[in-house]
Amino acid sequence: MLLLIINGSPKRGGNIATMLNAMRDEATRRGAEVAWTDVADLHVEPCRGCMACRTAGKCTLPYDDAQRTIDLLRRADALIVGAPCYWGNIPGQLKVLFDRMVYGMMGESRRGLPRPLHKGKRAIIVTTCTTPWPFNVLFGQSAGAVRALREILRYSGFRIVGTVQRGGTKARPTLSARELKRCASLVGRL
Protein backbone atom coordinates (compact mmCIF):
# COMPACT_ATOMS: atom_id res chain seq x y z
CA MET A 1 0.00 0.00 0.00
CA LEU A 2 1.22 3.50 -0.85
CA LEU A 3 0.12 6.16 1.63
CA LEU A 4 0.48 9.83 0.72
CA ILE A 5 0.74 12.27 3.63
CA ILE A 6 0.25 15.96 2.83
CA ASN A 7 1.43 18.30 5.57
CA GLY A 8 -0.40 21.60 5.01
CA SER A 9 1.25 23.30 7.98
CA PRO A 10 4.21 25.65 7.54
CA LYS A 11 5.54 24.65 10.99
CA ARG A 12 7.92 21.71 10.66
CA GLY A 13 7.87 20.87 14.36
CA GLY A 14 4.28 21.89 15.04
CA ASN A 15 1.35 19.78 16.17
CA ILE A 16 0.22 18.87 12.65
CA ALA A 17 3.68 17.60 11.73
CA THR A 18 3.98 15.74 15.05
CA MET A 19 0.63 13.96 14.56
CA LEU A 20 1.42 13.16 10.92
CA ASN A 21 4.82 11.76 11.95
CA ALA A 22 3.11 9.44 14.45
CA MET A 23 0.78 8.27 11.68
CA ARG A 24 3.67 7.81 9.25
CA ASP A 25 5.58 5.73 11.82
CA GLU A 26 2.51 3.52 12.38
CA ALA A 27 1.92 3.09 8.64
CA THR A 28 5.56 2.13 8.12
CA ARG A 29 5.36 -0.31 11.04
CA ARG A 30 2.37 -1.91 9.29
CA GLY A 31 4.37 -2.30 6.08
CA ALA A 32 3.05 0.60 4.03
CA GLU A 33 5.19 2.65 1.70
CA VAL A 34 4.80 6.31 2.69
CA ALA A 35 5.28 9.40 0.55
CA TRP A 36 5.43 12.71 2.43
CA THR A 37 4.77 16.19 1.03
CA ASP A 38 5.36 19.43 2.92
CA VAL A 39 3.21 22.05 1.20
CA ALA A 40 5.40 24.86 2.57
CA ASP A 41 8.33 23.50 0.50
CA LEU A 42 6.42 23.29 -2.77
CA HIS A 43 6.57 25.71 -5.66
CA VAL A 44 3.01 25.94 -6.98
CA GLU A 45 1.79 28.68 -9.28
CA PRO A 46 -1.76 29.80 -8.47
CA CYS A 47 -4.59 28.48 -10.62
CA ARG A 48 -5.68 30.88 -13.38
CA GLY A 49 -9.24 29.54 -13.50
CA CYS A 50 -9.04 28.89 -17.24
CA MET A 51 -10.87 25.55 -16.84
CA ALA A 52 -8.83 24.08 -19.73
CA CYS A 53 -7.66 21.29 -17.40
CA ARG A 54 -11.21 19.94 -17.23
CA THR A 55 -11.25 19.00 -20.92
CA ALA A 56 -7.51 18.43 -21.42
CA GLY A 57 -7.09 16.31 -18.28
CA LYS A 58 -3.93 18.22 -17.42
CA CYS A 59 -2.93 21.66 -16.26
CA THR A 60 -1.88 24.14 -18.93
CA LEU A 61 0.56 25.94 -16.61
CA PRO A 62 4.24 24.93 -16.67
CA TYR A 63 5.04 21.71 -14.80
CA ASP A 64 5.62 22.37 -11.10
CA ASP A 65 5.07 20.72 -7.71
CA ALA A 66 1.27 20.63 -8.17
CA GLN A 67 1.66 18.13 -11.01
CA ARG A 68 4.27 16.18 -9.05
CA THR A 69 1.85 15.94 -6.11
CA ILE A 70 -1.08 14.82 -8.28
CA ASP A 71 1.17 12.14 -9.78
CA LEU A 72 1.83 10.87 -6.23
CA LEU A 73 -1.87 11.06 -5.36
CA ARG A 74 -2.85 9.04 -8.43
CA ARG A 75 -0.51 6.24 -7.36
CA ALA A 76 -1.49 6.40 -3.68
CA ASP A 77 -3.94 3.93 -2.17
CA ALA A 78 -4.75 6.21 0.77
CA LEU A 79 -4.26 9.81 1.87
CA ILE A 80 -3.73 11.69 5.12
CA VAL A 81 -4.05 15.48 5.00
CA GLY A 82 -3.06 17.66 7.92
CA ALA A 83 -3.80 21.38 8.12
CA PRO A 84 -4.08 23.98 10.86
CA CYS A 85 -7.20 26.12 10.90
CA TYR A 86 -6.49 29.60 9.53
CA TRP A 87 -9.46 31.98 9.76
CA GLY A 88 -11.91 29.09 9.77
CA ASN A 89 -10.37 27.39 6.75
CA ILE A 90 -7.28 25.61 5.44
CA PRO A 91 -4.03 27.53 4.89
CA GLY A 92 -3.79 29.38 1.58
CA GLN A 93 -0.84 27.35 0.28
CA LEU A 94 -2.81 24.12 0.69
CA LYS A 95 -5.86 25.64 -1.03
CA VAL A 96 -3.68 26.76 -3.97
CA LEU A 97 -2.31 23.21 -4.25
CA PHE A 98 -5.79 21.67 -4.31
CA ASP A 99 -6.98 24.29 -6.82
CA ARG A 100 -4.17 23.31 -9.15
CA MET A 101 -4.79 19.57 -8.71
CA VAL A 102 -8.55 19.63 -9.41
CA TYR A 103 -8.18 17.98 -12.85
CA GLY A 104 -6.48 14.99 -11.23
CA MET A 105 -8.94 14.71 -8.39
CA MET A 106 -12.28 14.95 -10.14
CA GLY A 107 -13.40 14.80 -13.72
CA GLU A 108 -16.58 15.90 -15.42
CA SER A 109 -19.37 13.96 -17.04
CA ARG A 110 -20.64 15.04 -20.46
CA ARG A 111 -23.33 17.01 -18.65
CA GLY A 112 -20.75 18.83 -16.54
CA LEU A 113 -21.39 16.92 -13.31
CA PRO A 114 -18.43 16.09 -11.05
CA ARG A 115 -16.96 12.61 -11.48
CA PRO A 116 -14.68 11.37 -8.66
CA LEU A 117 -11.31 10.05 -9.82
CA HIS A 118 -10.24 8.46 -6.51
CA LYS A 119 -13.32 6.43 -5.75
CA GLY A 120 -12.66 3.72 -3.19
CA LYS A 121 -9.59 5.33 -1.67
CA ARG A 122 -9.61 6.20 2.03
CA ALA A 123 -8.49 9.38 3.75
CA ILE A 124 -7.87 10.84 7.19
CA ILE A 125 -8.12 14.54 8.06
CA VAL A 126 -5.98 16.09 10.82
CA THR A 127 -6.55 19.68 12.00
CA THR A 128 -5.50 21.95 14.83
CA CYS A 129 -6.59 25.33 16.14
CA THR A 130 -5.86 27.53 19.13
CA THR A 131 -9.41 27.45 20.55
CA PRO A 132 -9.49 24.97 23.47
CA TRP A 133 -11.16 21.58 23.05
CA PRO A 134 -14.14 20.91 23.07
CA PHE A 135 -15.01 24.52 22.15
CA ASN A 136 -13.08 24.21 18.88
CA VAL A 137 -15.64 21.56 17.89
CA LEU A 138 -18.74 22.86 19.72
CA PHE A 139 -18.41 26.39 18.36
CA GLY A 140 -17.14 25.31 14.94
CA GLN A 141 -13.71 26.90 15.27
CA SER A 142 -11.96 24.09 13.40
CA ALA A 143 -15.05 23.07 11.44
CA GLY A 144 -14.18 25.30 8.49
CA ALA A 145 -10.89 23.52 7.87
CA VAL A 146 -12.55 20.11 8.26
CA ARG A 147 -15.45 21.14 6.02
CA ALA A 148 -13.11 22.38 3.27
CA LEU A 149 -11.03 19.20 3.32
CA ARG A 150 -14.13 16.96 3.46
CA GLU A 151 -15.59 18.69 0.43
CA ILE A 152 -12.39 18.40 -1.59
CA LEU A 153 -11.90 14.76 -0.66
CA ARG A 154 -15.53 13.69 -1.06
CA TYR A 155 -15.87 15.20 -4.52
CA SER A 156 -12.66 13.36 -5.40
CA GLY A 157 -14.15 10.04 -4.27
CA PHE A 158 -12.25 9.53 -1.03
CA ARG A 159 -14.01 7.89 1.89
CA ILE A 160 -13.03 9.74 5.06
CA VAL A 161 -12.35 7.13 7.73
CA GLY A 162 -11.12 9.42 10.51
CA THR A 163 -10.84 13.01 11.61
CA VAL A 164 -8.67 14.56 14.31
CA GLN A 165 -9.56 18.05 15.56
CA ARG A 166 -6.93 19.07 18.10
CA GLY A 167 -7.88 22.29 19.91
CA GLY A 168 -6.16 24.44 22.50
CA THR A 169 -2.79 24.50 20.78
CA LYS A 170 -1.92 27.92 22.21
CA ALA A 171 -2.45 26.91 25.85
CA ARG A 172 -1.34 23.27 25.37
CA PRO A 173 1.18 23.28 22.53
CA THR A 174 2.65 19.89 23.42
CA LEU A 175 0.85 16.72 22.38
CA SER A 176 0.44 13.96 24.93
CA ALA A 177 1.50 10.38 24.28
CA ARG A 178 -2.19 9.43 24.44
CA GLU A 179 -3.08 11.92 21.67
CA LEU A 180 -0.29 10.62 19.46
CA LYS A 181 -1.34 7.02 20.08
CA ARG A 182 -4.92 7.92 19.06
CA CYS A 183 -3.62 9.49 15.83
CA ALA A 184 -1.51 6.44 15.08
CA SER A 185 -4.44 4.11 15.71
CA LEU A 186 -6.43 5.77 12.91
CA VAL A 187 -3.95 4.39 10.39
CA GLY A 188 -5.53 0.96 10.91
CA ARG A 189 -8.67 2.26 9.18
CA LEU A 190 -6.86 2.94 5.91
Side-chain angles (χ1 to χ4, degrees):
M1 175 174 97
L2 174 60
L3 169 63
L4 174 60
I5 297 176
I6 298 177
N7 177 10
S9 175
K11 295 181 182 177
R12 291 199 182 279
N15 285 320
I16 292 289
T18 302
M19 288 186 282
L20 294 178
N21 275 316
M23 296 169 116
R24 176 182 57 191
D25 293 348
E26 179 63 18
T28 302
R29 189 186 70 73
R30 292 173 178 254
E33 179 186 349
V34 179
W36 181 287
T37 299
D38 283 306
V39 175
D41 292 341
L42 302 181
H43 174 74
V44 177
E45 289 294 320
C47 179
R48 305 284 194 268
C50 70
M51 302 302 281
C53 66
R54 296 295 187 101
T55 52
K58 64 180 185 172
C59 184
T60 59
L61 292 174
Y63 193 85
D64 65 14
D65 290 326
Q67 289 97 330
R68 284 184 198 85
T69 304
I70 200 63
D71 290 343
L72 275 173
L73 186 60
R74 284 179 172 144
R75 290 186 295 130
D77 301 296
L79 172 67
I80 299 174
V81 180
C85 181
Y86 285 7
W87 284 93
N89 211 320
I90 60 177
Q93 290 173 298
L94 184 58
K95 174 70 166 78
V96 168
L97 176 65
F98 281 128
D99 285 347
R100 282 287 308 286
M101 296 191 326
V102 70
Y103 70 91
M105 297 186 76
M106 61 180 238
E108 253 182 40
S109 72
R110 290 182 187 202
R111 295 181 180 194
L113 298 173
R115 187 175 49 83
L117 299 179
H118 297 277
K119 196 165 182 134
K121 294 183 181 182
R122 295 175 182 207
I124 295 172
I125 296 170
V126 178
T127 64
T128 60
C129 75
T130 56
T131 304
W133 187 88
F135 303 107
N136 66 310
V137 176
L138 294 173
F139 299 137
Q141 297 297 310
S142 54
V146 172
R147 188 172 33 257
L149 289 170
R150 277 188 188 278
E151 185 170 332
I152 291 164
L153 298 177
R154 251 190 277 145
Y155 274 107
S156 303
F158 286 92
R159 189 172 126 226
I160 298 160
V161 297
T163 302
V164 176
Q165 295 184 59
R166 174 40 157 79
T169 57
K170 187 174 183 180
R172 288 185 316 113
T174 306
L175 291 155
S176 69
R178 183 175 149 206
E179 288 173 305
L180 292 175
K181 188 174 181 177
R182 180 183 176 270
C183 289
S185 72
L186 290 175
V187 172
R189 297 180 185 179
L190 295 175

Coordinates of all heavy atoms in Angstrom, one line a residue, residues 107-146:
G107 N -13.2 14.5 -12.3 CA -13.4 14.8 -13.7 C -14.8 15.4 -13.9 O -15.4 15.8 -12.9
E108 N -15.3 15.4 -15.1 CA -16.6 15.9 -15.4 C -17.3 15.0 -16.4 O -16.7 14.5 -17.3 CB -16.4 17.3 -16.1 CG -16.8 18.4 -15.3 CD -16.7 19.7 -16.1 OE1 -17.1 19.8 -17.2 OE2 -16.2 20.7 -15.4
S109 N -18.6 14.7 -16.1 CA -19.4 14.0 -17.0 C -19.7 14.8 -18.3 O -19.4 16.0 -18.2 CB -20.7 13.5 -16.4 OG -21.5 14.6 -16.2
R110 N -20.3 14.3 -19.3 CA -20.6 15.0 -20.5 C -21.6 16.2 -20.1 O -21.7 17.2 -20.8 CB -21.3 14.1 -21.5 CG -20.3 13.2 -22.1 CD -20.9 12.3 -23.2 NE -20.0 11.3 -23.6 CZ -20.0 10.7 -24.7 NH1 -21.0 11.0 -25.6 NH2 -19.1 9.8 -25.0
R111 N -22.4 16.0 -19.1 CA -23.3 17.0 -18.6 C -22.7 18.0 -17.7 O -23.4 18.9 -17.2 CB -24.5 16.4 -18.0 CG -25.3 15.5 -19.0 CD -26.5 14.9 -18.3 NE -27.2 14.1 -19.2 CZ -28.4 13.7 -19.1 NH1 -29.1 14.0 -17.9 NH2 -29.0 13.0 -20.0
G112 N -21.4 17.9 -17.4 CA -20.7 18.8 -16.5 C -20.8 18.5 -15.1 O -20.4 19.3 -14.2
L113 N -21.3 17.3 -14.7 CA -21.4 16.9 -13.3 C -20.0 16.4 -12.8 O -19.3 15.7 -13.6 CB -22.5 15.9 -13.1 CG -23.9 16.3 -13.5 CD1 -24.9 15.2 -13.4 CD2 -24.3 17.5 -12.6
P114 N -19.7 16.6 -11.6 CA -18.4 16.1 -11.0 C -18.4 14.6 -11.1 O -19.4 13.9 -10.8 CB -18.4 16.6 -9.6 CG -19.5 17.6 -9.5 CD -20.4 17.3 -10.6
R115 N -17.2 14.0 -11.4 CA -17.0 12.6 -11.5 C -15.7 12.3 -10.7 O -14.6 12.8 -11.0 CB -16.8 12.2 -12.9 CG -16.7 10.7 -13.1 CD -16.6 10.3 -14.6 NE -15.6 11.0 -15.4 CZ -14.3 10.8 -15.4 NH1 -13.8 9.8 -14.8 NH2 -13.5 11.5 -16.2
P116 N -15.8 11.6 -9.5 CA -14.7 11.4 -8.7 C -13.7 10.5 -9.3 O -14.0 9.4 -9.9 CB -15.3 10.7 -7.4 CG -16.6 10.1 -7.9 CD -17.1 11.0 -9.0
L117 N -12.4 10.8 -9.2 CA -11.3 10.0 -9.8 C -10.6 9.2 -8.8 O -9.7 8.4 -9.2 CB -10.3 11.0 -10.5 CG -10.9 11.8 -11.6 CD1 -9.8 12.7 -12.2 CD2 -11.5 11.0 -12.7
H118 N -10.9 9.3 -7.5 CA -10.2 8.5 -6.5 C -11.2 7.6 -5.7 O -11.0 7.3 -4.5 CB -9.4 9.4 -5.6 CG -8.3 10.1 -6.3 ND1 -7.1 9.5 -6.6 CD2 -8.3 11.3 -6.9 CE1 -6.4 10.4 -7.3 NE2 -7.1 11.5 -7.5
K119 N -12.3 7.2 -6.4 CA -13.3 6.4 -5.7 C -12.7 5.2 -5.1 O -12.0 4.4 -5.8 CB -14.4 6.1 -6.8 CG -15.7 5.6 -6.1 CD -16.8 5.6 -7.1 CE -18.0 5.2 -6.3 NZ -19.2 6.0 -6.6
G120 N -13.1 4.9 -3.9 CA -12.7 3.7 -3.2 C -11.4 3.9 -2.3 O -11.1 3.1 -1.5
K121 N -10.8 5.0 -2.5 CA -9.6 5.3 -1.7 C -10.1 5.9 -0.3 O -11.1 6.5 -0.3 CB -8.6 6.3 -2.4 CG -8.0 5.8 -3.6 CD -7.0 6.8 -4.2 CE -6.4 6.2 -5.4 NZ -5.4 7.2 -6.0
R122 N -9.3 5.7 0.7 CA -9.6 6.2 2.0 C -8.7 7.4 2.4 O -7.6 7.5 1.9 CB -9.5 5.1 3.0 CG -10.5 4.0 2.8 CD -10.3 2.8 3.7 NE -11.2 1.8 3.4 CZ -11.7 0.9 4.2 NH1 -11.2 0.9 5.5 NH2 -12.5 0.0 3.8
A123 N -9.2 8.2 3.3 CA -8.5 9.4 3.8 C -8.8 9.7 5.2 O -9.8 9.3 5.8 CB -8.9 10.6 2.9
I124 N -7.8 10.3 5.8 CA -7.9 10.8 7.2 C -7.6 12.3 7.2 O -6.6 12.8 6.5 CB -6.9 10.1 8.1 CG1 -7.3 8.6 8.2 CG2 -6.9 10.8 9.5 CD1 -6.2 7.8 9.0
I125 N -8.3 13.1 7.9 CA -8.1 14.5 8.1 C -7.6 14.9 9.5 O -8.1 14.4 10.5 CB -9.4 15.3 7.8 CG1 -9.9 15.1 6.4 CG2 -9.3 16.8 8.1 CD1 -11.3 15.6 6.1
V126 N -6.6 15.7 9.5 CA -6.0 16.1 10.8 C -5.9 17.6 10.9 O -5.4 18.2 9.9 CB -4.5 15.5 11.0 CG1 -3.9 16.0 12.3 CG2 -4.5 14.0 10.9
T127 N -6.6 18.2 11.9 CA -6.5 19.7 12.0 C -6.2 20.1 13.4 O -6.3 19.3 14.4 CB -7.9 20.3 11.7 OG1 -8.9 19.9 12.6 CG2 -8.4 20.0 10.3
T128 N -5.8 21.3 13.5 CA -5.5 22.0 14.8 C -6.0 23.4 14.8 O -6.2 24.0 13.7 CB -4.0 22.0 15.2 OG1 -3.3 22.8 14.2 CG2 -3.4 20.6 15.3
C129 N -6.3 23.9 16.0 CA -6.6 25.3 16.1 C -6.3 25.7 17.6 O -6.1 24.9 18.4 CB -8.0 25.6 15.8 SG -9.3 25.1 17.0
T130 N -6.2 27.0 17.8 CA -5.9 27.5 19.1 C -7.0 27.5 20.1 O -6.8 27.5 21.3 CB -5.3 29.0 19.0 OG1 -6.3 29.8 18.4 CG2 -4.0 29.0 18.3
T131 N -8.3 27.5 19.6 CA -9.4 27.4 20.5 C -9.4 26.1 21.3 O -9.3 25.1 20.7 CB -10.7 27.6 19.8 OG1 -10.7 28.8 19.0 CG2 -11.9 27.6 20.7
P132 N -9.6 26.2 22.7 CA -9.5 25.0 23.5 C -10.6 24.0 23.1 O -11.7 24.3 22.8 CB -9.7 25.5 24.9 CG -9.4 26.9 24.9 CD -9.7 27.4 23.5
W133 N -10.2 22.7 23.2 CA -11.2 21.6 23.1 C -12.0 21.6 24.3 O -11.5 21.8 25.4 CB -10.4 20.3 22.9 CG -11.3 19.1 22.5 CD1 -11.7 18.8 21.3 CD2 -12.0 18.3 23.4 NE1 -12.6 17.7 21.4 CE2 -12.8 17.4 22.7 CE3 -12.0 18.1 24.8 CZ2 -13.6 16.4 23.2 CZ3 -12.8 17.2 25.4 CH2 -13.6 16.3 24.6
P134 N -13.3 21.3 24.2 CA -14.1 20.9 23.1 C -14.8 22.1 22.3 O -15.5 21.9 21.4 CB -15.2 20.1 23.7 CG -15.5 20.8 25.0 CD -14.1 21.2 25.5
F135 N -14.4 23.3 22.8 CA -15.0 24.5 22.2 C -14.6 24.7 20.7 O -15.4 25.2 19.9 CB -14.7 25.8 23.0 CG -15.1 25.7 24.4 CD1 -14.1 25.5 25.4 CD2 -16.4 25.7 24.7 CE1 -14.5 25.3 26.7 CE2 -16.8 25.5 26.1 CZ -15.9 25.4 27.0
N136 N -13.4 24.2 20.3 CA -13.1 24.2 18.9 C -14.1 23.4 18.0 O -14.4 23.8 16.9 CB -11.7 23.7 18.7 CG -11.5 22.2 19.0 OD1 -11.9 21.8 20.1 ND2 -10.9 21.5 18.1
V137 N -14.6 22.4 18.6 CA -15.6 21.6 17.9 C -17.0 22.1 18.1 O -17.8 22.3 17.2 CB -15.6 20.1 18.3 CG1 -16.7 19.3 17.7 CG2 -14.2 19.5 18.0
L138 N -17.4 22.4 19.4 CA -18.7 22.9 19.7 C -19.1 24.2 19.0 O -20.2 24.4 18.6 CB -18.9 23.0 21.2 CG -18.8 21.7 22.0 CD1 -18.8 22.1 23.5 CD2 -20.0 20.8 21.7
F139 N -18.1 25.1 19.0 CA -18.4 26.4 18.4 C -17.9 26.5 16.9 O -17.9 27.6 16.3 CB -17.8 27.5 19.2 CG -18.3 27.6 20.6 CD1 -17.5 27.8 21.7 CD2 -19.7 27.4 20.8 CE1 -18.0 27.8 23.0 CE2 -20.2 27.5 22.1 CZ -19.4 27.7 23.2
G140 N -17.5 25.4 16.4 CA -17.1 25.3 14.9 C -15.8 26.0 14.6 O -15.6 26.3 13.4
Q141 N -14.9 26.2 15.6 CA -13.7 26.9 15.3 C -12.8 26.2 14.3 O -12.2 26.8 13.4 CB -12.9 27.2 16.6 CG -13.7 28.1 17.5 CD -13.9 29.4 16.9 OE1 -13.0 30.1 16.4 NE2 -15.1 29.9 17.0
S142 N -12.8 24.8 14.4 CA -12.0 24.1 13.4 C -12.8 23.5 12.3 O -12.3 22.8 11.4 CB -11.1 23.0 14.1 OG -12.0 22.2 14.9
A143 N -14.1 23.7 12.4 CA -15.1 23.1 11.4 C -14.8 23.5 10.0 O -15.0 22.8 9.1 CB -16.5 23.3 11.9
G144 N -14.4 24.8 9.8 CA -14.2 25.3 8.5 C -13.1 24.5 7.8 O -13.2 24.2 6.6
A145 N -12.0 24.3 8.5 CA -10.9 23.5 7.9 C -11.3 22.1 7.6 O -11.1 21.6 6.5 CB -9.7 23.5 8.8
V146 N -12.0 21.5 8.5 CA -12.5 20.1 8.3 C -13.5 20.1 7.1 O -13.5 19.3 6.2 CB -13.2 19.5 9.5 CG1 -13.9 18.2 9.3 CG2 -12.1 19.4 10.6

